[in-house]
Amino acid sequence: MKRIIIFAIITLTVSGVFAQNWAVNYSNSTASLKSKGKWETGFWQPLRIGITDRLELNTHFWLIALNPEIGAKVGWGEKAGMRISSEHNLS
């Protein structure tokens, strides 16, 4: 049990250190997309990679063997201060 706790702490610390653009809080439930070349991940959050400024890919890195799934978020633009995007998944 002690090893599991140590592994979880190290994993969370390393993922936080290596995540890019971590000062800006992006959420899965928003229309915001990652910028081109930026990525973020967390122990319980999916790996999210900005392919272009209008396309983002995501997958749950830890669950890929049990539940292979990949998702894409497409940004359609912004109007009157409101961002519009859609999510698409393949599993």
Side-chain angles (χ1 to χ4, degrees):
M1 182 67 176
K2 187 175 182 180
R3 289 183 181 178
I4 293 172
I5 293 171
I6 291 171
F7 175 76
I9 290 170
I10 291 172
T11 303
L12 291 172
T13 303
V14 170
S15 66
V17 169
F18 289 111
Q20 297 179 7
N21 203 14
W22 54 275
V24 179
N25 186 15
Y26 290 98
S27 176
N28 290 337
S29 59
T30 68
S32 299
L33 280 81
K34 300 297 293 175
S35 301
K36 179 180 179 181
K38 302 294 182 183
W39 61 276
E40 73 178 4
T41 188
F43 192 74
W44 300 112
Q45 301 298 321
L47 170 65
R48 299 173 60 208
I49 303 170
I51 303 300
T52 66
D53 288 336
R54 292 188 55 217
L55 177 64
E56 173 186 302
L57 297 179
N58 63 64
T59 186
H60 281 278
F61 181 74
W62 300 109
L63 299 174
I64 195 98
L66 300 173
N67 183 23
E69 180 177 355
I70 188 165
K73 188 187 290 186
V74 180
W76 298 107
E78 185 173 340
K79 187 170 185 174
M82 185 179 351
R83 292 185 182 129
I84 300 170
S85 68
S86 60
E87 293 185 9
H88 312 272
N89 293 308
L90 180 64
S91 60

